[in-house]
Structures are given as structure tokens and as C-alpha cells.
């Protein structure tokens, strides 16, 4: 069970763009090996930063509209949104420290 809530094309605006806290969006697909590698890191961050950032996952196979809207070409792609704007992007399976440092820049 993931600590990251699923979002969809239909819920993306309400869950991410209108969120009052920064949001980390994990763009992934079930067939993606690197996505599975990074999933436990995403879950750890969701627990450690609970209340400071919202962590959600978007299945790009099931939700192609949001994925194409943000130009997702390869997965996993992790995006940080703040005040309805994309403020950072990390592509690929990265170490937890890289992801944590990216997120920390946008927490205040």
C-alpha cells in the first residue's frame, strides 16, 4: 500500500494545482521498472514530510491528458508544484537525497 494518493486527469486540478501545500507528483506506469525502484523512496518522503508536502501518483497510462499537458516523455518523472505552478522536475530513478534536496528548496 502506497503512502502517495493516486490522482487522475479528473482530480489533478483540485488535488495538485489548487493544493494549499506544495505537491510532489510521481508520474509512473505499472510496467515501468525504474518507477518501481523509486516507489519506496516516494513513500518514505510522503511519511517524513507529511503535513509539509502532499505526495501523489499519476498513472500515465490511465491519465494521458495530464501527462501530455506537462510534456511527460519518460517515466518516472517527479514534479514539484507550488501555488498551482510547476516549480521543479526530476526525471528518472534518482537517489532519495537528490529528491529530498529538490523538495527542500520549495518548502518554507
Amino acid at each position: 500500500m502506497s503512502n502517495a494518493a493516486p490522482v487522475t486527469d479528473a482530480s489533478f486540478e483540485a488535488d495538485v494545482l489548487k493544493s494549499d501545500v506544495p505537491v510532489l507528483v510521481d508520474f509512473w506506469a505499472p510496467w515501468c521498472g525504474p518507477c518501481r525502484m523509486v516507489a519506496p523512496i516516494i513513500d518514505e518522503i510522503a511519511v517524513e514530510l507529511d503535513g509539509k508536502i502532499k505526495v501523489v501518483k499519476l498513472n500515465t497510462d490511465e491519465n494521458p491528458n495530464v501527462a501530455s499537458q506537462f510534456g511527460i516523455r519518460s517515466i518516472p518523472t517527479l514534479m514539484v508544484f507550488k501555488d498551482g505552478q510547476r516549480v521543479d522536475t526530476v526525471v528518472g530513478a534518482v537517489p532519495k537525497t537528490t529528491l529530498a534536496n529538490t523538495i527542500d528548496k520549495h518548502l518554507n
Side-chain angles (χ1 to χ4, degrees):
M1 176 65 200
S2 173
N3 295 311
V7 292
T8 62
D9 281 348
S11 70
F12 190 83
E13 184 177 357
D15 287 343
V16 177
L17 301 181
K18 294 194 170 156
S19 172
D20 51 5
V21 295
V23 184
L24 174 67
V25 182
D26 175 14
F27 292 89
W28 73 289
W31 50 263
C32 164
C35 297
R36 287 196 296 275
M37 285 168 39
V38 81
I41 296 170
I42 304 290
D43 287 341
E44 285 175 30
I45 286 174
V47 171
E48 289 167 15
L49 296 178
D50 186 38
K52 294 189 182 111
I53 190 167
K54 187 193 297 188
V55 179
V56 298
K57 295 172 88 72
L58 184 124
N59 182 327
T60 56
D61 286 354
E62 296 172 359
N63 303 284
N65 294 348
V66 169
S68 66
Q69 180 184 342
F70 289 100
I72 304 300
R73 298 275 172 267
S74 60
I75 51 175
T77 293
L78 305 156
M79 287 186 181
V80 180
F81 288 82
K82 190 172 183 180
D83 301 324
Q85 300 294 315
R86 173 177 50 189
V87 292
D88 226 324
T89 305
V90 177
V91 178
V94 295
K96 182 177 178 185
T97 50
T98 304
L99 197 50
N101 290 340
T102 300
I103 293 167
D104 283 345
K105 289 189 294 196
H106 303 290
L107 299 180
N108 51 8

